[in-house]
Amino acid sequence: MDPIAQLLAERACRRLLLDLVVRLDAADPGSVAELFTEDGVWIWPEGDRLVKGRAALRAHFGSRPADRHARRLMADVRVDVTSPDAATATSYFTTYRTHAALSKRPDPDPTLHPTPVAAPVRVPAPVGIGYYEDTLRRTPDGSWLLAARTAPGARPSDAPPLTTTDDHRHHRSTDDR
């Protein structure tokens, strides 16, 4: 494969994975389904959970309670282009969650952040850490989509349950909704 074409494919795949995290953390997490192929799957091997197909992915992630807010940090994203139309990726994540309302602050440059940017929230500890293994496919129009995301390394942290400022206890989970 041409080195420039490979770099462009790696960049497009990396951007897709980062866009997925932004969508999961935004007000419309069900929209992550659009980043998957029609038959795309998200697999959590622990507990034998699998969500298959765009409609099922949209329903799963769209069912997140409106008061459950998360912020994910993704690091060490490694994309390996295996052919002109296929790639694999591995990335590591840390998830923080709160049920406290996230206030929105105006963004000085809305072209950089098309969705409102949340102001900082005090969160004591991550609720999950781990890694993802992804399979990506180039579509006929040249864009890249996720064919499969597996979370073999998703583990809840050993931290105590998160609390809001009123000290209400809330459920912790490695579920990415």
Side-chain angles (χ1 to χ4, degrees):
M1 183 172 191
D2 171 61
I4 298 298
Q6 182 170 344
L7 285 171
L8 290 172
E10 288 172 3
R11 171 68 174 96
C13 291
R14 182 177 166 80
R15 177 58 187 251
L16 175 74
L17 299 176
L18 296 174
D19 286 348
L20 183 129
V21 170
V22 169
R23 288 181 184 214
L24 281 173
D25 290 351
D28 186 15
S31 72
V32 302
E34 304 311 314
L35 302 178
F36 282 81
T37 58
E38 283 294 333
D39 61 347
V41 296
W42 192 309
I43 304 162
W44 294 267
E46 192 167 303
D48 274 340
R49 292 187 309 141
L50 175 136
V51 180
K52 183 173 184 178
R54 273 195 190 148
L57 287 160
R58 188 175 297 106
H60 176 76
F61 290 105
S63 70
R64 181 177 73 190
D67 69 338
R68 186 160 100 182
H69 306 284
R71 292 295 177 263
R72 290 161 184 83
L73 302 178
M74 225 165 86
D76 302 331
V77 179
R78 180 188 172 118
V79 175
D80 293 307
V81 178
T82 57
S83 79
D85 297 321
T88 59
T90 303
S91 58
Y92 295 84
F93 69 89
T94 304
T95 302
Y96 296 86
R97 184 170 295 138
T98 183
H99 284 259
L102 297 177
S103 60
K104 302 292 182 189
R105 65 176 170 82
D107 194 318
D109 186 353
T111 61
L112 293 177
H113 301 99
T115 57
V117 178
V121 172
R122 193 175 302 260
V123 179
V127 295
I129 57 173
Y131 66 96
Y132 292 117
E133 293 174 347
D134 298 309
T135 302
L136 302 103
R137 300 279 181 253
R138 187 188 311 259
T139 65
D141 71 4
S143 63
W144 288 85
L145 294 174
L146 277 156
R149 168 159 270 202
T150 303
R155 300 283 183 266
S157 72
D158 293 329
L162 296 179
T163 59
T164 64
T165 54
D166 327 14
D167 198 33
H168 294 292
R169 302 232 175 244
H170 297 288
H171 175 71
R172 288 186 344 177
S173 166
T174 58
D175 187 340
D176 287 308
R177 282 184 292 167

